[in-house]
Amino acid sequence: MMAYCGIDCLECPTYQATQKDDDQKRAKVAERWSKIFNFTLKPSDINCDGCKEEGKRLFFFCRNCEVRECGSAKGLENCAHCEDYACDKLEPLFKMIPFIKEKLEEMRKAL
């Protein structure tokens, strides 16, 4: 399960905590990510069924994600499949989560 931006949902701590309905893990993720992203998150913010799941729970930051909105509107599998790769929408994510750039570029080479 791959998000448009290249994050593997199955490896995402928010997705994992949601799917296991694990409140202790939600609390740990909220505490850790609050420090990393310098933004206060509560355990109740740690809920996600994946950004491609319409009408389901979506992580706080992903609700208004330009990359998610764009990928969905274009009907893409993920951004590696986009003719406009790597657009300006991805740059902030690449700075915040550098490994997704590598992952998307690996996928583009395989296309």
Side-chain angles (χ1 to χ4, degrees), residues 2 6 78-81 85 94 98-111:
M2 178 79 56
N78 59 53
C79 291
H81 295 264
Y85 179 86
F94 288 166
F99 72 86
I100 62 174
K101 182 176 184 178
E102 295 169 21
K103 191 176 279 190
L104 287 171
E105 289 180 359
E106 284 176 29
M107 285 186 271
R108 281 186 67 79
K109 288 178 187 176
L111 296 177

Side-chain angles (χ1 to χ4, degrees), residues 28-92:
K28 288 178 184 177
V29 173
E31 181 180 348
R32 181 172 171 240
W33 285 9
S34 291
K35 290 176 186 173
I36 291 172
F37 299 116
N38 197 28
F39 185 87
T40 303
L41 292 166
K42 300 174 288 196
S44 60
D45 295 322
I46 307 301
N47 283 294
C48 189
D49 292 310
C51 73
K52 294 180 182 177
E53 298 297 317
E54 295 298 322
K56 302 239 178 159
R57 295 170 289 192
L58 195 57
F59 181 58
F60 175 79
F61 290 118
C62 301
R63 282 186 219 138
N64 299 310
C65 176
E66 286 184 295
V67 172
R68 183 179 77 74
E69 290 173 10
C70 180
S72 178
K74 291 181 177 182
L76 299 173
E77 183 175 331
N78 59 53
C79 291
H81 295 264
C82 185
E83 61 186 39
D84 296 325
Y85 179 86
C87 71
D88 293 342
K89 293 177 182 84
L90 284 167
E91 289 305 316

